[in-house]
Amino acid sequence: MANKKPTILVTDDEKSIRNSLSEILEFEQYNVLQAEGGETALQQIRESKVDLVILDIKMKGMDGIEVLENIRETHPDLPVIMISGHGTIKIAVQATKIGAFDFIEKPPDLNRLLISVRNALSRNELVEENKRIRSELNNVKEMVGESPAIARIKKTIEKVAPSTSRILITGENGTGKELVARWIHEKSKRASKKFVDVNCAAIPSELLESELFGHEKGAFTGASDRRIGKFEQADGGTLFLDEIGDMSPDAQAKVLRVLQENQITRVGGNERIDVDVRVICATNRDLEEEIRENRFREDLYHRINVIPIKLPPLRERKDDIPLLARWFLSQLSDKEIIYAGKSFTDDALEELKSHQWSGNIRELQNAVERMALLSDGESIDRDDVTHLGSMKTGTKSDLKELAEQSLSFQEYKEQAERYYLLNKLEEHDWNVSATADAIDIQRSHIYNKMKKYDIER
């Protein structure tokens, strides 16, 4: 706000009042827009960047209270100063409860009005700064891409974020489901509260209930203290249930009950605790197929699938690959000096577009880091991208080199197995359940091998 003059929208059905207030505010170096009624005001807010609204209560058509309610729904952080020539304590209290920043009677006292305007704009600036800092702390980035599919998703997010509707994000591993969930939270009315995420696939089913709802001291062996669950931690904010398709039937039933009643009970407890949580879910599974196979509850599916958002795989948005590659490279340059000055040649970017990227955005991000680290000079060229493909697929020369380095057949097998497992985990965005399904072994076996080979993300 320091770089530009704030814009104030004056809404009043009396032209003389609008002009008078506009002259005063323009003299104080503010940009001023005018609206003669509620509908026009809401349109101005939709189409222009407005920092403050001065709003008359009694107007023809839509009155000020209705306009205020609408603004609170669509732009919860936009400050509104109400003015009225028929001021009563009852109206002032009503406006304040709805969310008005201040209430001033007509004709407004000039000093009182300007002080209120300055205070409202200062608060708005603090809110925006708070959001920016929170976004940086949470490492929340906006979606990179200009393809039609991404443009549609961005538009959907802008529409649904201010609501409290539940959202189901679907898509392959590595397509950015958690990023979308965090972005929705940052643009919602709950942005000042916590964003709590739970990876349902990474928590053993016998521990998931305690993780979600908490437990009381002594509820089970090892429960030495009371524990607050994720639903309580997210009270007033957003709970992100990632990989909900991997949730056990028992946990599904209990989550459904919470969504119906907005209450939880800790494991080993009797007290019913109210929770106000917006739930966003994500999965890489086809839940409708899971329902047909009796692995997912249909009633829970309809509870969480109010607003569906399906993320396209990277191979269906290839024009976004150069943008993403450059963006990932710039992020590396900002973090570490060894990547500074690196750039892609046009041929390299075209070669990147020819790859299938089964691991989607996560795979591309890791590939950019490898190429930036291993490439000679400041340019990442087509040969670097081609070499990346041979590294991924495992050529005869790679296997020959591994054989020559190994001291025994057992060591060769173990090194090859470790390499294979790392490759598959990366391909599936380190989702152990998805990796287990893809290579047809039990999830517990993957955890055992990760421990054996000291594999960490």
Side-chain angles (χ1 to χ4, degrees):
M1 197 167 290
N3 297 325
K4 68 179 187 66
K5 295 190 289 186
T7 298
I8 300 173
L9 174 61
V10 177
T11 306
D12 198 303
D13 57 2
E14 295 184 45
K15 186 176 182 180
S16 59
I17 297 290
R18 291 200 308 273
N19 290 340
S20 176
L21 290 175
S22 296
E23 287 177 10
I24 293 168
L25 295 168
E26 285 171 350
F27 182 79
E28 295 292 324
Q29 302 301 305
Y30 296 117
N31 291 323
V32 181
L33 301 175
Q34 292 190 21
E36 60 182 351
E39 294 286 356
T40 307
L42 295 175
Q43 183 177 350
Q44 292 261 39
I45 292 169
R46 285 193 297 267
E47 296 176 353
S48 306
K49 176 66 174 72
V50 176
D51 300 297
L52 171 65
V53 178
I54 297 177
L55 179 61
D56 187 22
I57 286 184
K58 296 294 182 182
M59 297 185 295
K60 296 173 184 176
M62 183 183 288
D63 68 20
I65 294 295
E66 291 179 86
V67 177
L68 176 62
E69 289 174 335
N70 197 296
I71 292 173
R72 290 281 71 82
E73 283 294 319
T74 58
H75 295 75
D77 295 324
L78 180 59
V80 179
I81 297 173
M82 307 295 290
I83 57 174
S84 177
H86 311 278
T88 66
I89 293 177
K90 182 178 178 181
I91 294 175
V93 169
Q94 182 185 6
T96 304
K97 280 184 175 180
I98 295 171
F101 179 81
D102 201 354
F103 182 91
I104 298 175
E105 291 187 59
K106 289 183 182 178
D109 176 83
L110 178 58
N111 288 331
R112 167 97 157 75
L113 175 67
L114 292 177
I115 288 171
S116 184
V117 165
R118 282 194 286 271
N119 289 341
L121 291 171
S122 295
R123 190 197 70 168
N124 199 33
E125 189 172 1
L126 286 172
V127 168
E128 291 299 320
E129 179 67 7
N130 201 18
K131 277 187 175 183
R132 184 190 65 78
I133 293 171
R134 231 179 17 253
S135 179
E136 289 178 358
L137 289 174
N138 291 333
N139 199 28
V140 177
K141 304 291 191 304
E142 293 201 357
M143 294 182 72
V144 177
E146 298 174 354
S147 62
I150 294 302
R152 284 193 297 271
I153 289 169
K154 288 180 179 180
K155 189 174 181 181
T156 299
I157 291 171
E158 292 290 339
K159 284 184 178 180
V160 305
S163 73
T164 57
S165 298
R166 298 186 189 111
I167 295 170
L168 176 62
I169 308 168
T170 57
E172 296 178 8
N173 287 311
T175 49
K177 296 187 287 293
E178 183 177 349
L179 171 63
V180 171
R182 287 185 179 275
W183 197 14
I184 292 169
H185 173 74
E186 286 300 312
K187 291 177 175 294
S188 75
K189 302 174 187 177
R190 298 168 178 261
S192 61
K193 302 294 184 179
K194 283 187 177 181
F195 176 93
V196 178
D197 64 303
V198 182
N199 188 331
C200 301
I203 302 170
S205 57
E206 61 271 17
L207 298 179
L208 186 58
E209 186 179 348
S210 171
E211 187 76 14
L212 292 175
F213 312 122
H215 61 250
E216 297 290 352
K217 181 178 180 180
F220 49 82
T221 303
S224 56
D225 293 292
R226 169 188 281 181
R227 177 175 179 172
I228 302 301
K230 300 296 188 182
F231 270 94
E232 280 186 86
Q233 292 175 34
D235 189 35
T238 301
L239 178 64
F240 177 50
L241 298 178
D242 196 8
E243 304 302 344
I244 194 171
D246 292 73
M247 188 178 282
S248 69
D250 284 346
Q252 290 177 36
K254 286 164 183 169
V255 167
L256 174 65
R257 191 171 192 179
V258 174
L259 297 184
Q260 289 170 332
E261 301 175 358
N262 295 318
Q263 291 182 325
I264 61 106
T265 302
R266 299 189 193 109
V267 177
N270 297 314
E271 181 187 2
R272 297 183 68 78
I273 302 164
D274 292 332
V275 288
D276 172 24
V277 175
R278 183 187 197 171
V279 174
I280 300 176
C281 300
T283 182
N284 64 339
R285 296 179 181 268
D286 182 345
L287 291 188
E288 293 184 353
E289 176 63 25
E290 296 294 301
I291 291 168
R292 286 192 288 271
E293 297 294 328
N294 294 317
R295 291 192 292 261
F296 199 84
R297 295 181 63 110
E298 185 173 7
D299 44 6
L300 177 58
Y301 173 72
H302 292 303
R303 282 278 175 181
I304 63 176
N305 192 34
V306 179
I307 306 290
I309 297 178
K310 185 172 183 178
L311 300 184
L314 196 53
R315 62 184 173 275
E316 293 180 9
R317 45 180 292 216
K318 290 195 171 184
D319 287 343
D320 286 336
I321 289 174
L323 291 173
L324 286 161
R326 288 195 190 101
W327 189 83
F328 286 136
L329 188 58
S330 72
Q331 294 296 299
L332 289 170
S333 300
D334 290 342
K335 289 178 182 177
E336 296 187 48
I337 189 100
I338 60 172
Y339 300 108
K342 293 272 186 177
S343 63
F344 286 100
T345 66
D346 292 341
D347 286 346
L349 293 173
E350 282 301 312
E351 184 67 23
L352 286 174
K353 288 170 67 175
S354 70
H355 286 231
Q356 287 303 303
W357 302 112
S358 57
N360 293 296
I361 296 171
R362 180 70 68 190
E363 184 186 358
L364 176 62
Q365 181 180 12
N366 293 339
V368 168
E369 184 171 352
R370 280 201 298 273
M371 288 184 290
L373 193 61
L374 299 175
S375 62
D376 297 323
E378 294 187 348
S379 293
I380 301 172
D381 58 26
R382 183 185 289 271
D383 288 342
D384 294 313
V385 181
T386 305
H387 180 60
L388 173 77
S390 67
M391 287 175 63
K392 184 184 174 206
T393 54
T395 62
K396 287 183 180 179
S397 62
D398 294 326
L399 297 175
K400 184 174 183 291
E401 184 179 347
L402 181 60
E404 291 171 351
Q405 291 174 350
S406 301
L407 298 176
S408 66
F409 181 53
Q410 181 63 29
E411 182 182 358
Y412 173 80
K413 286 197 300 181
E414 289 180 353
Q415 289 293 334
E417 187 174 52
R418 186 180 191 279
Y419 177 84
Y420 173 79
L421 189 56
L422 270 169
N423 198 314
K424 291 299 181 183
L425 283 166
E426 183 178 286
E427 184 177 313
H428 293 88
D429 193 22
W430 290 81
N431 183 307
V432 174
S433 293
T435 306
D437 288 344
I439 63 179
D440 197 27
I441 68 172
Q442 294 181 18
R443 186 169 64 176
S444 59
H445 289 179
I446 291 186
Y447 282 118
N448 289 338
K449 290 183 185 299
M450 289 173 69
K451 186 176 181 180
K452 175 182 177 180
Y453 297 130
D454 194 25
I455 294 175
E456 294 181 359
R457 182 165 185 166

